[in-house]
Amino acid sequence: WVYRSDVESLVPPSGSTEITPGALTTVTDSRGIPLGTALYSAASQITLRLVSPEAALSRSAYLAQLEARVTTALSLREELAPQSAANNACRLIFSEADALPGIIADRYNDLVILQLLTQGTAQDDVREVLTRVIGESLHPATIIERPDPKVRELEQLAAPSSAPLYADDPSNPRLTTVFTINGLRLHYDSSAGQKTGAFLDQRLNYAAAARYARGRALDVCTYHGGFALHLAQHCQQVTGVDASRSALETADRNLELNPELKAKVQWIEADAFELLREYEAAGEHYDTIVLDPPAFAKSKRATEGALRGYKELNLRAIKMLQPGGTLVTCSCSHHISPAEFTGVVAAAASDAGRTVQVLETRGAAPDHPAILTLPETSYLKCLICRTT
């Protein structure tokens, strides 16, 4: 990445007065030595996203490279997250982590959802390559582009067509499905919800949390019930909390899809901070608590406030846990480092006067690989702890 503040000058191509938004641009250092070719954004603070160490890469060469890298990413997912009756959803393409900046693709059973997040990738020729390669490799029922409204606004991109990029039945394209994670069945609707759908990065953390879960459980920021439904495999009572009514309605539909779950499950629409304060004041106690809030730090400037928020949630939870209870606490803010997050949980434990043992330190599922030189790809932190 090259941020706008790091750009010394922008040199338009010969015969032009400006660089076209989304164009491939040669990047040089201050001495004029080429560093490679990048996708240019006229709007984003990330002005340049490097796509090749080769300078002056042509559009046709970029598209050929794109096809090869998509094929490589799909092959890697066959190895890391093979499709089965128990697990038929995964991340297929993870932007920079697959050397495909500005592109995300997720699979939910027979649907594939694309996000094209930059001026350089939200292009018809990129859509054609992605649709063709994914279609020939996976044979999905439907391939749908689903824009991120905030990113689209930041990148000054027009809304894409709402029509599927591919459908095996064009007259009646399939837009909803039921997919499985760890043997649990879940609804997916391509026209509703956050991000591209479920939080596939938590797949293995869901299973890990279930292994430790027991007794009375509380899942804070449950969204579509991912953690709650996994806890319900082993607990007697599970309460899932979320501020979104529509998210809880989907969680309830997911519960209905899994009638074999043994726990009594209830959903509560509430603000997490307010509810935990009320529960702690009322003397509520739990054997298992999961904290999986949205990203508190959307920017570096928001880090201090985010750390306060994480500390308060963890402090309330630790105080409510029974001796020997399990805390599963997560952060998806890439601006918060693993050390900072662990430090916040430690500070909360100290303030609560409790000893907290870390049993597992976890991250995203392997279909969300991380790049060592790009710390933003190591965004998800998950601690599984025991309180004494």
Side-chain angles (χ1 to χ4, degrees), residues 314-315 318-319 321 345-356 387-388:
N314 282 277
L315 175 61
I318 291 169
K319 285 183 174 181
L321 277 167
V345 179
S350 178
D351 286 0
R354 304 286 296 276
T355 298
V356 174
T387 57
T388 62

Side-chain angles (χ1 to χ4, degrees), residues 12-149:
S14 177
S16 302
T17 58
E18 63 180 9
I19 303 175
T20 304
L24 290 162
T25 305
T26 296
V27 184
T28 68
D29 64 14
S30 58
R31 298 165 295 174
I33 298 174
L35 301 176
T37 300
L39 293 170
Y40 168 70
S41 172
S44 173
Q45 289 302 308
I46 304 174
T47 305
L48 300 164
R49 295 173 189 258
L50 205 71
V51 295
S52 172
E54 178 185 337
L57 190 73
S58 68
R59 189 73 184 179
S60 61
Y62 166 67
L63 293 174
Q65 172 189 279
L66 179 73
E67 180 170 346
R69 290 180 179 179
V70 170
T71 300
T72 298
L74 299 181
S75 297
L76 181 63
R77 278 17 180 234
E78 290 180 7
E79 177 183 342
L80 298 177
Q83 299 294 288
S84 67
N87 286 288
N88 61 15
C90 74
R91 173 142 295 178
L92 299 170
I93 299 171
F94 189 28
S95 197
E96 280 83 0
D98 286 300
L100 291 163
I103 301 171
I104 287 176
D106 287 334
R107 179 178 189 170
Y108 297 94
N109 191 2
D110 50 357
L111 304 187
V112 172
I113 310 302
L114 289 180
Q115 285 192 310
L116 304 178
L117 301 170
T118 68
Q119 293 178 347
T121 56
Q123 304 281 343
D124 287 341
D125 54 3
V126 173
R127 292 184 179 96
E128 189 280 326
V129 170
L130 289 166
T131 302
R132 174 169 49 81
V133 176
I134 292 173
E136 291 174 356
S137 299
L138 303 182
H139 307 290
T142 314
I143 302 175
I144 304 161
E145 181 180 351
R146 184 171 179 187
D148 183 312

